[in-house]
Amino acid sequence: MARDHIVNERKAKDMSTKMADWIAERDIAEIECIVPDMNGVQRGKVLPAAKFLSGVKDGTLRIPGSVFSVSITGEYPDGVGHIVPVTDPDHAMIPDAATICEAPGFKTRTAYVIADAFDGNGSAVAFAPRMILKRVLELYALKGWRPVIAPEVEFYLVSRNLDPDFPLTPPIGRSGRPETASQPYGLEALNEFEDIIEHIYENCEKAQLDIDTMIHESGAAQLEVNFLHGDPLRLADEVLLFKRIMRQVAIEHGVYATFLAKPMSGQPGSSMHIHQSLLEIATGKNLFSLANGRDSAQFRSYIAGLVRLLPQVTPMFAPNVNSYRRMRPDSDAPINVQWGTDNRSCGLRVPLSDGKNRRVENRLPGADSNPYLAFAASLICGYIGMVDRMVPPKSMEGNAYNRARTLPRTLESALDRFARCTPVKKLLGEDFFEVFYAIKECELFNYQSVISSWEREHLLLRV
């Protein structure tokens, strides 16, 4: 134990020195130390650079442990006091030096850095979303496997909305007019927001986010950003920061950027598709294909795990009441976990590729999901499929919307399945399941307490 303590002290010292050099080279004055919560909301502290570095050095960067049990409405659920004590003790924030990057758009030279939380015993908070993804990646590493992913994140630009009872509307573009019709992949439509797009590319370059391309999606003023493939943890960090940067850029241009799964009725929802492949660590070989380019047994078992288990952990990638408005037939969003080659009606699509680039695209997650949990859900289901050597159903060749719905219709029914998903619960931990469920149940209760405009319009004077 003493030897481990010495090793950890050396790592902390090396990390502190590395960040100090980075901060000095760029003349950074302030640091945003970020801890992602269960909903993917960025919480943490803003500190002068000198105070941040001294806090890293002497271990005094702290945050209340309740940060991991707060709901999207800022409330705390009941019944998890044995996991998150009501005394709310401080946790140490340990920054990950690999995540430090310039924070664009601030008058003062600022940097972002993402931190993990550790309790008073020096143990990482195991149910924190970033640690959940780390746990999944460790399971893969023990098998000699390295997952590689590439997320695609959709979002809308909308006019500023100061009244939550008023529906969202597309913003005015460069032409002086809002979009009123679907323009998938439309270049002229994309050019309507050229200033915003150029600004986001500039800011992402400053923050060293590896975004690839940006396209116009099917919805009015709906865009999609593609990230270059790579390590799941690094890409979860990048998606988290991209959302923050994108919202700030949009506000500077007088509009909002929203990652709500279904922001407008009559328009498609916003997804976060996850392309996934698997490499053998020792050789770098893609384990999803054979030498002759055909699908491997591991690939089919991976898909089988996704098919069988993803419907049971839906709240991890469709976490909000609004998430289920997106998953409707013929709305560019899946309603089941059928799988097929180059078939976008399926929840699981196998893109056309050679053996070296064999992968599966999980089309189920919404843009509103916490990237750490969405990635972890997909990877753990595939992992269980391979370990248990599951066999997938026959691939789908026609319209998957004609097949039965296998995904839950509401957050309430999704939570019921989630609570009973024993195979995933065993690997991700009882504490995570209990805290996450409690947060979502709290949010669901609050939502169901609201009387909607639909009820006032159609029931007020008729029932």
Side-chain angles (χ1 to χ4, degrees):
M1 292 295 290
R3 187 176 182 180
D4 289 342
H5 181 69
I6 292 171
V7 170
N8 288 335
E9 279 190 342
R10 287 175 179 170
K11 286 183 178 179
K13 185 176 180 180
D14 291 343
M15 177 182 66
S16 178
T17 301
K18 180 179 178 181
M19 288 193 293
D21 292 343
W22 188 94
I23 289 168
E25 288 172 6
R26 292 160 180 80
D27 196 25
I28 298 295
E30 287 189 343
I31 305 290
E32 286 200 359
C33 192
I34 299 167
V35 176
D37 76 0
M38 284 293 188
N39 280 301
V41 174
Q42 298 181 34
R43 305 191 186 275
K45 295 183 176 182
V46 181
L47 307 94
K51 187 172 180 59
F52 167 78
L53 290 171
S54 66
V56 171
K57 186 177 180 180
D58 56 27
T60 56
L61 288 178
R62 300 190 180 280
I63 196 166
S66 59
V67 72
F68 296 113
S69 64
V70 64
S71 73
I72 199 70
T73 59
E75 298 174 88
Y76 299 92
D78 296 326
V80 293
H82 58 296
I83 303 171
V84 185
V86 293
T87 53
D88 200 8
D90 273 348
H91 289 345
M93 291 192 292
I94 307 298
D96 184 341
T99 67
I100 194 165
C101 63
E102 188 171 346
F106 290 88
K107 293 180 180 179
T108 302
R109 296 292 295 272
T110 304
Y112 297 134
V113 66
I114 298 173
D116 293 313
F118 289 74
D119 64 21
N121 297 319
S123 300
V125 178
F127 59 88
R130 199 166 188 264
M131 295 308 298
I132 290 295
L133 180 54
K134 282 187 176 184
R135 178 181 295 189
V136 173
L137 297 178
E138 286 171 0
L139 290 172
Y140 273 88
L142 289 172
K143 294 286 187 181
W145 302 335
R146 181 168 68 86
V148 175
I149 70 162
E152 302 171 345
V153 184
E154 297 173 347
F155 59 95
Y156 275 89
L157 298 176
V158 297
S159 296
R160 288 172 61 89
N161 182 284
L162 304 181
D163 185 348
D165 279 334
F166 194 79
L168 298 173
T169 58
I172 302 296
R174 291 201 310 165
S175 66
R177 304 178 65 185
E179 287 186 20
T180 57
S182 177
Q183 296 293 337
Y185 296 94
L187 296 180
E188 289 290 345
L190 194 66
N191 289 342
E192 285 287 288
F193 309 106
E194 182 179 357
D195 293 345
I196 296 176
I197 292 170
E198 286 184 358
H199 195 170
I200 191 61
Y201 269 116
E202 289 173 3
N203 282 11
C204 285
E205 185 175 354
K206 288 180 182 177
Q208 296 181 309
L209 304 188
D210 288 335
I211 64 171
D212 186 11
T213 58
M214 192 172 289
I215 63 171
H216 194 293
E217 261 295 343
S218 299
Q222 185 187 34
L223 307 179
E224 177 187 274
V225 61
N226 298 331
F227 289 77
L228 295 174
H229 66 274
D231 173 69
L233 182 64
R234 178 178 62 80
L235 282 161
D237 292 336
E238 291 195 1
V239 170
L240 183 84
L241 294 179
F242 175 82
K243 287 185 175 183
R244 174 75 174 280
I245 293 171
M246 186 65 240
R247 290 190 188 102
Q248 290 176 335
V249 167
I251 288 174
E252 287 185 45
H253 289 264
V255 300
Y256 290 160
T258 179
F259 296 87
L260 193 63
K262 184 75 170 180
M264 292 182 280
S265 60
Q267 295 289 341
S270 291
S271 66
M272 182 173 66
H273 298 161
I274 309 170
H275 291 254
Q276 303 153 78
S277 59
L278 186 63
L279 305 182
E280 186 176 50
I281 293 175
T283 64
K285 173 188 174 185
N286 188 336
L287 293 175
F288 281 172
S289 65
L290 302 173
N292 60 10
R294 299 183 65 180
D295 295 345
S296 68
Q298 286 174 307
F299 181 58
R300 296 181 65 81
S301 289
Y302 188 94
I303 288 177
L306 298 181
V307 170
R308 186 176 302 183
L309 294 172
L310 281 175
Q312 298 181 44
V313 294
T314 310
M316 291 180 69
F317 55 82
N320 304 304
V321 289
N322 178 265
S323 305
Y324 299 85
R325 298 185 186 278
R326 168 182 159 258
M327 291 186 271
R328 303 178 68 177
D330 302 311
S331 62
D332 295 331
I335 61 170
N336 52 43
V337 284
Q338 297 288 335
W339 71 282
T341 301
D342 201 25
N343 187 340
R344 285 185 168 85
S345 69
C346 295
L348 304 170
R349 169 178 169 260
V350 179
L352 296 175
S353 64
D354 57 22
K356 183 180 179 181
N357 296 297
R358 182 75 74 251
R359 63 191 186 278
V360 60
E361 177 190 16
N362 180 357
R363 299 173 58 82
L364 274 60
D368 59 333
S369 60
N370 181 333
Y372 301 99
L373 298 184
F375 296 174
S378 199
L379 292 172
I380 198 63
C381 291
Y383 173 87
I384 294 172
M386 289 191 298
V387 170
D388 291 352
R389 298 183 178 180
M390 293 181 183
V391 178
K394 186 179 179 181
S395 65
M396 185 76 197
E397 295 184 358
N399 185 357
Y401 289 120
N402 293 333
R403 297 296 180 92
R405 185 185 185 108
T406 55
L407 293 172
R409 295 177 182 273
T410 65
L411 178 60
E412 187 170 18
S413 62
L415 287 172
D416 288 342
R417 295 194 204 181
F418 176 76
R420 299 192 300 269
C421 187
T422 302
V424 175
K425 186 184 294 188
K426 285 181 179 178
L427 295 177
L428 300 189
E430 293 272 355
D431 285 356
F432 164 70
F433 265 67
E434 195 167 341
V435 173
F436 184 76
Y437 182 94
I439 290 171
K440 291 299 146 185
E441 190 176 46
C442 175
E443 293 171 358
L444 181 61
F445 177 82
N446 284 331
Y447 171 77
Q448 291 174 336
S449 301
V450 174
I451 308 303
S452 69
S453 59
W454 187 93
E455 292 165 276
R456 289 190 292 271
E457 180 173 350
H458 297 288
L459 304 180
L460 180 66
L461 301 176
R462 295 188 180 126
V463 295

